[in-house]
Amino acid sequence: MFDKDTLVQVGSYFAPLKREYTLLLKAQPSHPSYNDAKEMIEELASTSEKLSAAYEESENFRIDLLVDGTPSGISFRGIPGGHEFTSLLLSILNHDGIGKNLPDEGVCRRIKSLNGPIELRTYVSLSCTNCPDVVQTLNLLAIFNPGISHTMVDGSFFPDEVESLGIASVPTVMAGDKVIHVGRGDMATLLNKLEESYGSTPQESVGEPEERSFDVIVVGGGPAGAASAIYSARKGLKVAIVAERVGGQVNETVGIENLISVPYTTGGELAGNLRNHIDANDISLFEARTVKNITQDGGISRVETTSGELFTAPALIMATGASWRKLGVPGEKEYTGNGVAYCAHCDGPFFKNKRVAVIGGGNSGMEAAIDLAGICTEVTVVEFLDVLKADEVLQKKAQEMGNIKMILSTATKEIRGTNGKVTSIVLSDRATGKETEIALEGVFVQIGLAANTALVKDLVETNPRGEILIDPSCRTNTPGIYAAGDCTTVPYKQIVVAMGEGAKAALSAFEDRIRS
């Protein structure tokens, strides 16, 4: 199953292991995938004396991870190959405290405070690039809170189960029959949802966090936030980044070809490079945080998180970026995860040989349509304006596809369905007002981004779209508060622009500090 070089590399990862780990295959030997699973766990076990394989006959195909002979709460239904192979490796390494993205004290406090028991399972596709983030995050929760268990479920391994649950989007996180989360998710997002669903013990029971003071606080970890923090740190200032995730929206980008000097990279690679650059400087990174309140008192900005942490500084740089914009029409929320999706790359395979619509004719929409055209029988692109906004090269490629249809100057009015699944979409011609209902099985929403500025709407001036108004130097109308990137009025929401704006914000904050 694995080549020699791969096993050697895995062995190097496992060399420092201190505890004993067992991969327990629970299945019937007659199962068609039994031998493949057996081969996988035995080859992995051969890479370390601390790892072993075991077997138990069961009607339910799964691989359980045992630590020192005790169930860890982490399981894999299916064979964790593809992108999920990393999830399997990290479930072992993180248990030993030598993995990656291990939560810091503040995040551990929130994890340990969650009220259990909580039994979670995540339905994934092994080709999904977003699924491993969710799987690995929930595995961490199981490691740090014994009241939580988590199982990865390969949807293609259990198609009847997926069909009966009406799952049409990955990753889908469930607890019993209840859907907890659908789509992209990071530690902060998932913790928020679990706290909302299950509650948590008072923070005092696990220790009060201390107030932390800095020269500059950057809220947001995307290209603008990373640039702001790096430029500030290089000026010798004490800097903190408070963010849900390093990379921000960059993590959701599959291919990047317009970052000058880098002909091609992926969102994941760029996010990793941003983290490496942050780590190379004297910057305090507080990741997986959700900011709940920002105030300013006597020229000092105060940033409070949902975990009860408080960060203060005389200079605050808002680099909170933007989030995928929702249609806001009837049926969108009800059918999210059951026909309504926001990621063609991840959820496209669920719509093989089906009819779908892509709402939005910009670059994202056209790229989604091109991807979907390769697996769907028919793709209808619906654009509100009377012209397509996508780059000419994308429009040309889409026109060359034989199964992409364009509808312009049309508004989406409603998404309809029956028995929990999307069956049609209602469109309205903007010129005539005539409504048309189109039968289909999926709707992919690609209508751009909305600025994440609710936290400071009462502190700084914003435009009608919610973007923070800034001057050419990234200053807001409130002294001591600066803003950079997609959350601002700067034109052209591009990675390279956001990086430059982040640098400008940091330099402006430093200049004001020197002058004052």
Side-chain angles (χ1 to χ4, degrees), residues 413-460:
K413 304 297 289 185
E414 183 180 359
I415 298 171
R416 294 176 178 174
T418 58
N419 299 323
K421 295 183 180 181
V422 168
T423 56
S424 66
I425 187 170
V426 178
L427 305 175
S428 175
D429 186 299
R430 293 180 57 228
T432 65
K434 180 182 179 181
E435 291 192 354
T436 304
E437 184 173 2
I438 298 177
L440 43 68
E441 289 79 33
V443 178
F444 288 80
V445 181
Q446 300 284 309
I447 57 173
L449 302 169
N452 297 322
T453 58
L455 288 166
V456 291
K457 63 181 178 62
D458 295 327
L459 288 177
V460 299

Side-chain angles (χ1 to χ4, degrees), residues 141-425:
L141 266 59
I143 291 173
F144 287 93
N145 187 327
I148 299 174
S149 63
H150 177 243
T151 301
M152 180 220 79
V153 185
D154 179 1
S156 65
F157 221 81
F158 302 95
D160 292 341
E161 181 176 333
V162 169
E163 180 72 19
S164 67
L165 292 171
I167 294 174
S169 185
V170 291
T172 292
V173 181
M174 299 190 70
D177 295 329
K178 180 182 179 182
V179 175
I180 300 293
H181 174 82
V182 177
R184 296 178 288 263
D186 50 37
M187 177 67 82
T189 299
L190 293 165
L191 273 176
N192 287 342
K193 291 189 174 183
L194 290 173
E195 286 168 344
E196 181 180 344
S197 296
Y198 294 94
S200 59
T201 56
Q203 291 293 317
E204 290 78 8
S205 66
V206 286
E208 273 294 323
E210 62 179 321
E211 177 180 331
R212 299 179 173 93
S213 297
F214 296 88
D215 297 321
V216 179
I217 296 174
V218 179
V219 179
S228 294
I230 291 167
Y231 265 73
S232 295
R234 287 175 60 83
K235 292 295 186 182
L237 302 180
K238 186 179 180 182
V239 184
I241 294 178
V242 182
E244 294 193 350
R245 187 183 190 188
V246 170
Q249 284 288 332
V250 160
N251 288 282
E252 325 309 342
T253 305
V254 177
I256 300 170
E257 299 177 309
N258 56 1
L259 184 58
I260 308 307
S261 84
V262 183
Y264 179 84
T265 187
T266 67
E269 289 171 343
L270 178 55
N273 289 336
L274 291 176
R275 178 184 291 277
N276 291 338
H277 205 166
I278 290 169
D279 291 341
N281 288 271
D282 188 12
I283 297 171
S284 298
L285 174 60
F286 299 93
E287 201 177 6
R289 266 50 173 203
T290 297
V291 177
K292 71 174 182 179
N293 191 36
I294 296 178
T295 57
Q296 192 184 60
D297 184 17
I300 300 297
S301 291
R302 300 167 59 86
V303 178
E304 300 176 66
T305 68
T306 55
S307 59
E309 294 167 292
L310 174 61
F311 304 89
T312 62
L316 171 69
I317 300 176
M318 294 297 297
T320 45
S323 302
W324 294 115
R325 191 184 300 276
K326 302 295 191 297
L327 282 169
V329 301
E332 180 183 21
K333 182 177 181 180
E334 293 84 342
Y335 293 107
T336 294
N338 291 288
V340 175
Y342 299 87
C343 178
H345 178 73
C346 298
D347 301 332
F350 287 100
F351 298 89
K352 184 177 182 180
N353 298 324
K354 294 182 179 180
R355 299 160 299 176
V356 301
V358 174
I359 312 301
N363 285 345
S364 296
M366 207 57 62
E367 289 172 354
I370 292 168
D371 287 344
L372 292 167
I375 55 178
C376 299
T377 57
E378 183 178 278
V379 179
T380 301
V381 176
V382 181
E383 169 57 47
F384 184 81
L385 301 178
D386 56 5
V387 294
L388 294 172
K389 299 171 292 182
D391 292 343
E392 188 65 31
V393 64
L394 293 175
Q395 292 189 43
K396 183 177 179 181
K397 187 172 182 179
Q399 290 166 359
E400 293 171 353
M401 311 287 288
N403 58 341
I404 297 180
K405 176 183 178 182
M406 312 287 184
I407 301 179
L408 305 182
S409 191
T410 299
T412 303
K413 304 297 289 185
E414 183 180 359
I415 298 171
R416 294 176 178 174
T418 58
N419 299 323
K421 295 183 180 181
V422 168
T423 56
S424 66
I425 187 170

Side-chain angles (χ1 to χ4, degrees), residues 22-68:
T22 303
L23 294 173
L24 175 59
L25 174 59
K26 294 182 176 180
Q28 291 294 331
S30 59
H31 193 284
S33 296
Y34 184 88
N35 289 333
D36 289 339
K38 184 174 184 290
E39 180 182 2
M40 173 187 233
I41 65 173
E42 287 182 349
E43 288 188 356
L44 288 178
S46 72
T47 64
S48 172
E49 293 182 353
K50 295 293 185 179
L51 194 61
S52 62
Y55 310 93
E56 179 181 308
E57 288 198 20
S58 172
E59 295 297 327
N60 298 313
F61 192 104
R62 63 190 295 141
I63 298 173
D64 290 347
L65 175 64
L66 278 59
V67 182
D68 295 330

